[in-house]
Amino acid sequence: MTTLEQAAVADLVRNTLAAHKSLFLATAGSAGPWVGGVYFAESGEFTLNLVLEDRGRTLAAIREHPVVSVVVSTGSPMQPFLQAQASAELVGGDEDARVRELLVSKVPEAAPFLAAPVTAVRLTVSKWRATDIANGVLPGVELPGPRLP
């Protein structure tokens, strides 16, 4: 992929993340696979911040197996959408406060959830697969994340 093509895919990823307040989060734990919708806020193209119910099935699965899948989509394949696998990290202290701040800044209607017993979670995406059928991006194209040491 040329630098220009990679820049266009990065723009597609950034624009799609910015256009959505929620995503579909898939987990797998001892209770089996599970998919739920959650509000999120991005901090860069490869980091997603969210909160999950302390007693929910999603958080329980992440504690058992911190690898998840995400889909950022309206639900219509004719609208741009993103797919990825990510590693999930439970965060506390100052990072918990930062996740909550980012979330409410992007999604003000998420504020009531923060009064409930929730845990802050940060997802690190290794690479995105972006699809935009209406603009000829089919099959989807990948945007690799930064290489970790």
Side-chain angles (χ1 to χ4, degrees), residues 9-58:
V9 176
D11 285 344
L12 176 56
V13 168
R14 274 191 299 278
N15 293 338
T16 304
L17 289 171
H20 292 269
K21 294 180 177 185
S22 63
L23 57 79
F24 299 102
L25 177 64
T27 59
S30 58
W34 189 253
V35 177
V38 298
Y39 288 127
F40 78 96
E42 66 277 13
S43 47
E45 295 102 333
F46 299 98
T47 304
L48 307 176
N49 303 278
L50 50 102
V51 295
L52 296 172
E53 296 175 68
D54 285 351
R55 291 187 226 149
R57 185 172 176 171
T58 303

Side-chain angles (χ1 to χ4, degrees), residues 1-10:
M1 179 181 323
T2 68
T3 303
L4 185 58
E5 290 169 330
Q6 190 164 5
V9 176

Side-chain angles (χ1 to χ4, degrees), residues 71-118:
V71 175
V72 180
S73 171
T74 64
S76 168
M78 291 309 292
Q79 297 293 317
F81 64 94
L82 306 174
Q83 299 166 282
Q85 188 176 79
S87 59
E89 173 190 9
L90 309 183
V91 296
D94 290 343
E95 290 302 304
D96 175 280
R98 180 74 178 136
V99 165
R100 291 167 184 258
E101 176 185 312
L102 288 167
L103 188 60
V104 172
S105 178
K106 179 176 180 174
V107 189
E109 59 268 34
F113 292 104
L114 303 183
V118 293

